[in-house]
């Protein structure tokens, strides 16, 4: 299992970014996937997760209505569209995978992941 995240940048409050995560070593279509983030001095938290088994998507309350997770199984790539960014969104963003038996909410809320983490991509929201 291998992930390469990209798309992070310095952006002003209210701006948008689209993160990408290229996954390899497994068949993306079969697994629950998610985006996590870790801000300085804070624990890693689940931002958005997507279940392959039932199509259910979970969003943390802090990003609901602003972020959208999607996947292109043919390209084995996961995306996170982030709109109306806020300074509190500043963090390193990571993607992760877990077994399909795990729901999107479980993955994000309980931090249930499989395999190793990628290097992440840095998002800084600042004026």
């Amino acid at each position: 299992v291998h992930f390469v995240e990209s798309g992070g940048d310095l952006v002003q409050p209210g701006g948008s970014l689209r993160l990408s995560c290229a996954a390899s070593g497994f068949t993306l279509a079969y697994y629950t996937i998610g985006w996590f983030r870790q801000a300085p001095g804070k624990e890693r938290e689940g931002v958005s997760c997507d279940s392959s088994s039932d199509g259910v998507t979970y969003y943390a309350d802090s990003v609901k209505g602003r972020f959208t997770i999607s996947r292109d199984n043919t390209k084995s790539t996961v995306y996170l569209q982030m709109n109306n960014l806020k300074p509190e969104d500043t963090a390193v963003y990571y993607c992760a995978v877990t077994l399909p038996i795990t729901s999107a909410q479980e993955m994000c809320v309980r931090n249930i992941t499989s395999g190793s983490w990628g290097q992440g991509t840095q998002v800084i929201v600042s004026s």
Side-chain angles (χ1 to χ4, degrees):
V1 175
H2 186 61
F3 303 104
V4 178
E5 300 93 343
S6 62
D9 205 347
L10 169 64
V11 63
Q12 292 187 344
S16 298
L17 284 175
R18 188 194 195 202
L19 306 184
S20 298
C21 171
S24 60
F26 65 101
T27 303
L28 182 64
Y30 299 155
Y31 291 85
T32 299
I33 52 89
W35 282 97
F36 292 75
R37 67 186 181 187
Q38 187 165 23
K42 295 188 176 181
E43 293 187 354
R44 190 173 290 167
E45 62 172 347
V47 174
S48 180
C49 296
D50 178 72
S51 171
S52 63
S53 60
D54 57 13
V56 173
T57 298
Y58 169 87
Y59 292 96
D61 287 343
S62 58
V63 306
K64 203 171 291 183
R66 301 187 297 121
F67 289 12
T68 303
I69 189 171
S70 62
R71 65 167 90 194
D72 186 336
N73 291 326
T74 63
K75 296 182 179 179
S76 196
T77 302
V78 185
Y79 304 98
L80 185 68
Q81 178 66 43
M82 306 188 297
N83 298 327
N84 190 21
L85 282 160
K86 303 177 180 180
E88 51 264 41
D89 295 318
T90 295
V92 179
Y93 285 71
Y94 304 86
C95 58
V97 65
T98 193
L99 296 175
I101 193 173
T102 304
S103 72
Q105 182 169 343
E106 281 183 304
M107 183 183 188
C108 265
V109 173
R110 297 176 59 191
N111 241 310
I112 300 176
T113 62
S114 303
S116 58
W117 295 91
Q119 86 288 348
T121 187
Q122 176 75 61
V123 172
I124 300 175
V125 184
S126 174
S127 53

